[in-house]
Amino acid sequence: FRFQSFAVATIENDRLLQFIQEALADNLASGGTEKSFAAIVEEAFVTYGVDGIAPHHLNTVWRTNTALAYSGGQIAQMAEVVEEFPFWQYKTAEDENVRRSHRALNNRIFRNGDYEYWPPIDFNCRCDAILISADDAESIEPTDKTTIKINDKEAQFIGDKNERFIEWMEENLKSSTTQAQDLIAKAIEDLKKTTNDNNKN
């Protein structure tokens, strides 16, 4: 849920931003859908008397935050099943909308514990990680990562997702309004603190 902090930082109404962040957290925790989240947000904009978010922007907010929250939960559980599932496989949606960098990772296999390419690797990423059991892994070798060619503009979350995300927010800080800069700076501060606390543990 830490990734919520940035999600709609261009909204300059502090109370509205807080409301949307809380709505997103509740939606994720209860297993809500993009449609239910959009309905809550649209009602909030009417209540506060401000212009709404474009549907594609709202879609990005919901999809990316949901994917990151789900991904974080998966990674946290992976260490508990390393013996049963020693490998995982990167899978795309395998349709015409898959970006080149995501396609370059499709079907690649990585060891449990290697999360450099764990999805999502960018905004609106629809990719997934498929666990490979020990029974199916007897003849499997992990991918030689030197053979992977990635376009960084299509894969902003590769590596440590917190660090990559902080870098992305710091870059966007430069072109934001004064009000948005304050919100983004606070989000960066919170995320760095959480990252440091997690590293200590």
Side-chain angles (χ1 to χ4, degrees):
F1 291 165
R2 277 289 157 188
F3 289 92
Q4 300 160 35
S5 302
F6 85 95
V8 281
T10 53
I11 296 174
E12 297 174 5
N13 184 312
D14 288 348
R15 286 190 300 167
L16 178 59
L17 176 64
Q18 182 179 358
F19 178 88
I20 292 176
Q21 290 175 344
E22 290 173 354
L24 179 59
D26 291 343
N27 190 266
L28 289 171
S30 64
T33 64
E34 178 184 352
K35 186 176 181 180
S36 64
F37 172 61
I40 293 171
V41 171
E42 288 169 7
E43 182 178 346
F45 277 101
V46 172
T47 300
Y48 284 90
V50 296
D51 294 334
I53 300 177
H56 69 276
H57 184 181
L58 196 58
N59 174 274
T60 297
V61 168
W62 183 85
R63 177 178 289 171
T64 302
N65 278 269
T66 300
L68 287 167
Y70 180 66
S71 168
Q74 286 182 311
I75 289 175
Q77 294 177 342
M78 286 292 284
E80 301 176 10
V81 296
V82 64
E83 292 186 9
E84 295 89 346
F85 299 95
F87 298 102
W88 62 274
Q89 185 176 40
Y90 191 102
K91 294 294 289 186
T92 70
E94 297 186 341
D95 59 26
E96 66 277 5
N97 295 320
V98 174
R99 284 162 278 186
R100 287 171 299 173
S101 292
H102 302 234
R103 189 177 296 115
L105 290 169
N106 194 37
N107 294 321
R108 302 282 189 148
I109 295 173
F110 305 93
R111 292 189 184 281
N112 186 340
D114 181 355
Y115 307 123
E116 181 178 2
Y117 295 106
W118 188 275
I121 62 171
D122 199 10
F123 292 98
N124 284 323
C125 179
R126 298 172 298 141
C127 302
D128 201 2
I130 308 299
L131 301 187
I132 299 176
S133 70
D135 290 341
D136 294 332
E138 292 183 2
S139 60
I140 288 179
E141 287 293 329
T143 295
D144 177 358
K145 293 200 285 190
T146 63
T147 65
I148 300 174
K149 307 300 180 185
I150 296 293
N151 179 347
D152 291 342
K153 292 182 179 179
E154 296 177 345
Q156 296 190 56
F157 299 150
I158 283 180
D160 185 306
K161 295 190 188 307
N162 279 6
E163 288 184 6
R164 299 291 80 75
F165 212 79
I166 289 171
E167 291 170 3
W168 180 86
M169 286 196 291
E170 288 176 334
E171 182 63 29
N172 280 268
L173 192 63
K174 303 171 185 176
S175 58
S176 301
T177 64
T178 302
Q179 293 92 336
Q181 285 181 0
D182 292 341
L183 293 169
I184 296 173
K186 178 64 167 60
I188 292 173
E189 180 183 338
D190 289 345
L191 190 55
K192 283 182 176 179
K193 182 179 183 302
T194 302
T195 301
N196 291 336
D197 289 346
N198 289 341
N199 289 339
K200 290 178 183 176
N201 298 331

